[in-house]
Amino acid sequence: MQLTGGQYKGRKIISPKGVRPTLSIVRESVFNILFSCFGNFEQRDFLDLFLGSGIMTFEALSRGFNTLSYEIDSCVINCVIKNSNLLKFQPKIIKADSMKSAKMLDKKFDVIYADPPWSCSYLKIFEIAQSLLKECGILIAECDKKKKPDVLIELGKVSTLELFREKNYGRCCLLFVRLHR
């Protein structure tokens, strides 16, 4: 996989076994939409709730975000660390289950990216986003297009979040959700 933008555009990383990396067209779309919302990414904070291959965290770092990522699998973390050593930057990774520990963070984020196993419930993700997004912060939730109706029902249960955009790429659906109080 190659980074699609920022100062490390074109640099390659290796994906750990057993993860579903976010496609390059999806990554480019996410950061183009975020740029239209924020402009410059410098001094903005990005939380990746499910590190996986690390590609979204690397894309965010390459574009100037401060990042924090969660991952529970040691093998995945080791692969991401090898990639980060090649790229010469160190993402901040918390080895923990984000669904259990992220709510305890005392920091707020401009962007939260959530690409969980598609079989999970998204309600907890929305509750975490509600508590950790800065004013006008954005959650990007990636889900299976077939599961989107269920995910939208769960989103409706969190009154401080509103869907403002969605994009589909094959089976993948991106939901762009904004915090409003």
Side-chain angles (χ1 to χ4, degrees):
M1 290 182 301
Q2 284 187 338
L3 295 176
T4 61
Q7 75 180 85
Y8 295 100
K9 180 179 181 177
R11 300 283 296 274
K12 293 182 180 184
I13 70 161
I14 298 164
S15 180
K17 292 184 179 172
V19 300
R20 177 181 33 82
T22 303
L23 299 173
S24 61
I25 191 168
V26 175
R27 297 189 315 261
E28 283 186 84
S29 178
V30 163
F31 287 99
N32 287 339
I33 291 168
L34 289 175
F35 187 79
S36 71
C37 294
F38 295 121
N40 191 335
F41 298 142
E42 297 296 322
Q43 304 307 312
R44 299 237 180 234
D45 297 304
F46 185 98
L47 175 62
D48 190 345
L49 288 175
F50 303 89
L51 180 65
S53 69
I55 193 68
M56 291 306 288
T57 291
F58 290 136
E59 292 280 8
L61 281 167
S62 182
R63 288 167 167 82
F65 278 99
N66 301 312
T67 67
L68 178 64
S69 305
Y70 275 90
E71 180 56 55
I72 199 161
D73 186 316
S74 295
C75 293
V76 170
I77 292 172
N78 290 337
C79 184
V80 170
I81 289 171
K82 285 179 190 173
N83 283 319
S84 66
N85 289 336
L86 294 173
L87 294 171
K88 306 279 191 260
F89 53 60
Q90 296 300 319
K92 294 179 187 110
I93 302 170
I94 297 174
K95 185 182 187 301
D97 181 338
S98 60
M99 296 296 89
K100 293 179 181 172
S101 60
K103 272 188 147 181
M104 293 182 280
L105 290 172
D106 60 358
K107 181 178 176 81
K108 302 280 186 185
F109 297 87
D110 298 288
V111 177
I112 298 175
Y113 190 80
D115 181 10
W118 284 353
S119 60
C120 88
S121 166
Y122 282 68
L123 183 58
K124 277 192 172 184
I125 292 169
F126 296 135
E127 290 170 345
I128 288 168
Q130 174 180 255
S131 66
L132 294 180
L133 281 172
K134 291 179 182 176
E135 192 69 33
C136 297
I138 297 172
L139 164 70
I140 301 129
E142 187 174 329
C143 68
D144 186 319
K145 196 170 17 176
K146 292 178 186 174
K147 189 174 178 174
K148 183 175 78 171
D150 296 332
V151 173
L152 291 175
I153 288 169
E154 291 177 330
L155 176 59
K157 295 177 182 177
V158 183
S159 64
T160 60
L161 297 176
E162 65 182 350
L163 179 69
F164 73 93
R165 190 168 193 169
E166 63 181 83
K167 299 278 280 181
N168 294 305
Y169 300 92
R171 280 187 61 194
C172 169
C173 178
L174 292 174
L175 302 175
F176 291 81
V177 177
R178 208 177 248 136
L179 178 68
H180 68 90
R181 295 195 194 270

